[in-house]
Amino acid sequence: MVGWLFDGLGRKRSRKRRRRRGPIATLLRWFTPGLTLTGSIGVVIALITGQISLPSLDDIRGTEPPVYDDPIAATLPRSEQIAGRPPLAEVAPVALATASRSRTTRKSDRHIKIATFNIQTFGKSKAEKPDVMDTLARIFMIFDVVAVQELKGDPSIPINSLFERLHRLGARYDAIVSDPLGRSSQTERYAFVWDTTRVQLVRESAYLVADSADRMHRQPYVATFQARVNPIDSRRPFSFSLINVHTDPDEVKGDSPRNELNVLDDVFIRVRQWEYDRSGQEDFFLLGDLNVDSKNLQQLGQIPNLVSVVGDQVTAPKSGKTYDHILMDRVVTQEWTGQASVLDVSQYLTNGRLTVSDVSDHLPVWAEFDIYEIPPSGY
């Protein structure tokens, strides 16, 4: 099991999927890496073995990052051992609400906001603090999808507490949670939380990147989402894959193969290639708490066109450091509106005695995107 899916106040549910393609999409696939020889071989191997594997990424260690004239049409390096999951389902979109049903927060009918938030030790203790949870609910209502790090203990306790407050404010959110991760007894989980009136999870698209060689303290968690909006003028709803990451601060030091940032470049490239091969997905975001600023991303920062949308804005106010990022390929993802920032949590505190550090030692990072797909440059 790679995750728990919460519905409303935490009921688990399972979902099945089926991928369908129209004739135009099928024709276009002949001009993409999905039908190259290596792509076809990779898909066959993927169907046999069932998941992306970190050990297989060793074979490109030390190579120079590729540079492409056309970032979509070029074939990315890949390992023969890359594997994945069954094809994604075709999502049936619905009309995007012009505003959240919240009494306090209105959302754009043309854009969605994606965020990442390390909610320091987000577990039972925090869930039992009403002012903290009320503040978190107000923060989550700003965003359409949030990648969460440091979910501790029984995930149903803080998630359900958050949902109760969101529902009280008129919002409807859902969540999917990973298995506990980490080498020590102090494990944590990843979560994705989203506004169900505006975004939907592509069914059964969530998975953990396999790491049998133990190259990362916590392997990344991947899921794919799509804006809930009807296609217009042949424009499809914006869909995107998120790679949720929380690095170990002791394992992002020095330029060595064991530096987790020198593993994450391989993760990003392999996940991108695999998802493109199996579903035509183009837009990917590696987001989370990387424990370094944008100048120290090592090999991850050498991927062509990969940018941190907020640069080196402070995301850990107590230390004055930049740890949290949303990384994306700026050439491919034309849907980005250019709007991105670090949220000032102090504006959302619900009690005058509450401080930002009571909520978390990190601040949310967010970016805004068009609700419809825009072809990449050079497509």
Side-chain angles (χ1 to χ4, degrees):
M1 181 183 73
V2 297
W4 294 3
L5 187 65
F6 289 82
D7 180 13
L9 295 182
R11 297 184 296 275
K12 299 178 194 175
R13 64 188 180 199
S14 62
R15 298 175 174 178
K16 297 182 180 178
R17 60 175 174 226
R18 181 183 303 163
R19 177 69 179 173
R20 296 179 180 175
R21 289 188 178 275
I24 295 176
T26 302
L27 179 61
L28 287 175
R29 291 289 285 161
W30 287 95
F31 300 93
T32 68
L35 287 183
T36 60
L37 178 60
T38 55
S40 300
I41 293 173
V43 169
V44 172
I45 296 171
L47 292 174
I48 295 173
T49 56
Q51 58 188 314
I52 295 172
S53 174
L54 280 180
S56 69
L57 305 180
D58 288 321
D59 61 347
I60 68 166
R61 176 65 53 208
T63 61
E64 290 298 320
V67 178
Y68 309 121
D69 294 328
D70 181 345
I72 288 297
T75 302
L76 297 173
R78 57 180 293 140
S79 164
E80 291 186 349
Q81 297 181 34
I82 293 177
R85 298 164 59 83
L88 298 179
E90 186 72 41
V91 179
V94 298
L96 183 69
T98 57
S100 168
R101 286 174 288 188
S102 161
R103 295 190 298 268
T104 58
T105 303
R106 293 184 62 85
K107 291 180 177 178
S108 168
D109 61 347
R110 295 180 300 169
H111 305 121
I112 60 172
K113 287 184 177 179
I114 299 171
T116 179
F117 193 9
N118 180 334
I119 309 175
Q120 180 186 20
T121 317
F122 189 35
K124 183 174 183 292
S125 177
K126 193 158 285 185
E128 293 175 346
K129 298 175 181 177
D131 292 336
V132 171
M133 295 307 299
D134 288 341
T135 297
L136 285 171
R138 293 181 64 188
I139 291 170
F140 271 75
M141 288 175 63
I142 301 168
F143 307 119
D144 297 297
V145 184
V146 183
V148 176
Q149 301 90 45
E150 280 204 31
L151 185 60
K152 297 279 192 173
D154 181 353
S156 66
I157 297 174
I159 293 293
N160 286 345
S161 179
L162 177 64
F163 282 165
E164 287 171 3
R165 285 160 172 81
L166 287 167
H167 289 187
R168 206 177 299 155
L169 292 168
R172 293 294 179 267
Y173 280 69
D174 206 343
I176 188 167
V177 175
S178 76
D179 288 340
L181 303 168
R183 300 186 183 111
S184 69
S185 60
Q186 300 300 313
T187 61
E188 64 180 70
R189 301 174 189 259
Y190 296 116
F192 291 109
V193 181
W194 67 94
D195 183 338
T196 60
T197 68
R198 294 169 54 82
V199 173
Q200 57 190 350
L201 174 73
V202 173
R203 290 176 295 179
E204 298 184 13
S205 66
Y207 58 90
L208 286 167
V209 175
D211 184 16
S212 59
D214 194 28
R215 297 182 65 195
M216 294 196 68
H217 186 69
R218 290 172 287 266
Q219 62 264 45
Y221 190 40
V222 183
T224 299
F225 296 86
Q226 180 172 292
R228 295 180 68 91
V229 61
N230 290 319
I232 59 170
D233 300 327
S234 301
R235 296 186 65 189
R236 293 174 55 85
F238 179 45
S239 67
F240 50 93
S241 294
L242 303 179
I243 307 170
N244 195 350
V245 177
H246 184 193
T247 63
D248 186 318
D250 293 328
E251 298 187 27
V252 291
K253 301 172 181 177
D255 187 10
S256 73
R258 294 301 301 179
N259 187 319
E260 291 191 340
L261 298 166
N262 293 336
V263 179
L264 287 175
D265 66 319
D266 298 341
V267 169
F268 184 87
I269 290 171
R270 294 313 196 267
V271 169
R272 178 168 66 174
Q273 183 67 57
W274 164 242
E275 294 289 350
Y276 188 88
D277 283 348
R278 72 169 181 162
S279 67
Q281 182 59 258
E282 298 169 346
D283 299 292
F284 298 88
F285 308 105
L286 191 151
L287 70 177
D289 177 6
L290 302 183
N291 282 296
V292 295
D293 60 28
S294 63
K295 299 181 184 66
N296 291 285
L297 292 172
Q298 301 292 331
Q299 293 181 24
L300 177 62
Q302 297 175 27
I303 295 176
N305 307 315
L306 198 70
V307 297
S308 175
V309 298
V310 296
D312 287 327
Q313 294 184 46
V314 172
T315 68
K318 188 174 181 180
S319 64
K321 302 288 188 180
T322 301
Y323 290 148
D324 306 87
H325 300 270
I326 298 177
L327 299 172
M328 69 175 187
D329 187 319
R330 183 66 183 94
V331 173
V332 172
T333 302
Q334 296 291 305
E335 293 82 3
W336 184 36
T337 66
Q339 298 297 308
S341 191
V342 178
L343 187 73
D344 182 1
V345 169
S346 65
Q347 297 182 10
Y348 298 88
L349 300 176
T350 57
N351 185 309
R353 296 186 299 274
L354 203 63
T355 67
V356 170
S357 60
D358 292 325
V359 180
S360 178
D361 56 352
H362 291 252
L363 301 174
V365 171
W366 62 269
E368 181 184 74
F369 302 88
D370 194 284
I371 60 172
Y372 289 105
E373 293 280 1
I374 299 174
S377 299
Y379 188 77

